[in-house]
Amino acid sequence: MCSSDLVKATQGAQIDAYVDSFSAALGFANQVGIALAGSGSEASNRTLQTILATVERAATRPDPLQLAANAVTVQANDTSRIHSTAWGAALGASFGGSVSGNGAIGVALARNTLNNSVQSRLKGLTGGNQALGSLSVAASKQRAGDEPSIQATSAAVSLAIGFSGGTGISLSGGGADALNTVLGDVLSTLDSVALTTTGAIGITASSDQQLKAGVGAGVGSGSGSFSPSGGSVAVGAVKTRNLIGVEALDGASKAQVRSAVINSKLSSGADL
């Protein structure tokens, strides 16, 4: 009998994404000056993987699965993370002798999803005299050090300026949105197992996830006119959503963190 058996699956994917956009429009005219500028950027990142550590009897094998080790560990672990930055900026400026009109729009979007399934499994250990020192079956999702699982920044800036001797109109709008989602089950399972240990038996599933999002929108609009007519409008909007274990705010689709013992008989000389 060997001293220990270790079956381990580990995933540590890292995504670093940075996108930006900038646009500017300038208009000059003796009579009518018009300038329109718009910019937009989006960062979309997604992981979709299965991290699986398993010891089980093949369906085509008639004889039972046998383990010959003092300590058996089946472990699956995921430390994937996403860092994402998206920003957009737009500038519109016009100068007209009698009329000036200008508009600027900036938009920034961030979409980040970690959807990894982590599973550890021991299955089909039913025949013979199965005696071990200790057994550990563990599945976990963890942060990589102190870093959040998803860190997203989304920002938009827009500025519209106009000057004219007559009518001046300026319109400016900016919007930023961030959606961060962590999905995927964390499962640790003993299925059809019969064994006795002199040490501890541990079946654990754990998830330690953290989301961090920063969104912002800056807008400015101004018009100058030597006549009584002129106007400016500026609108900014931001939105952020951080979801762990659900795909929508209604919670219709939920991820599981679960340890299970199915159709098994266990006897431990220590903790269970």
Side-chain angles (χ1 to χ4, degrees), residues 118-182:
V118 184
Q119 302 177 38
S120 62
R121 183 167 62 233
L122 179 60
K123 183 177 180 180
L125 190 69
T126 57
N129 184 17
Q130 299 291 326
L132 302 174
S134 63
L135 173 66
S136 175
V137 179
S140 65
K141 285 186 178 183
Q142 298 173 325
R143 290 178 288 155
D146 294 331
E147 296 184 355
S149 306
I150 297 178
Q151 181 170 325
T153 302
S154 179
V157 179
S158 66
L159 178 63
I161 302 175
F163 296 95
S164 69
T167 301
I169 298 175
S170 297
L171 304 174
S172 177
D177 179 80
L179 172 60
N180 304 304
T181 308
V182 174

Side-chain angles (χ1 to χ4, degrees), residues 15-18 45 81-85 147-152:
I15 297 177
D16 293 287
Y18 176 88
N45 307 291
R81 59 105 172 139
I82 296 175
H83 287 181
S84 173
T85 300
E147 296 184 355
S149 306
I150 297 178
Q151 181 170 325

Side-chain angles (χ1 to χ4, degrees), residues 207-219:
S207 178
D208 178 18
Q209 306 284 280
Q210 183 186 67
L211 306 181
K212 185 177 181 180
V215 296
V219 296

Side-chain angles (χ1 to χ4, degrees), residues 24-87:
L26 302 176
F28 301 89
N30 291 330
Q31 296 297 320
V32 180
I34 297 176
L36 301 174
S39 70
S41 62
E42 179 180 2
S44 181
N45 307 291
R46 183 181 179 91
T47 67
L48 180 60
Q49 295 176 304
T50 298
I51 300 92
L52 172 64
T54 180
V55 177
E56 57 185 281
R57 182 178 67 84
T60 58
R61 183 174 177 175
D63 53 319
L65 178 66
Q66 298 284 331
L67 295 179
N70 182 51
V72 173
T73 300
V74 183
Q75 183 179 17
N77 184 44
D78 179 27
T79 58
S80 299
R81 59 105 172 139
I82 296 175
H83 287 181
S84 173
T85 300
W87 69 271

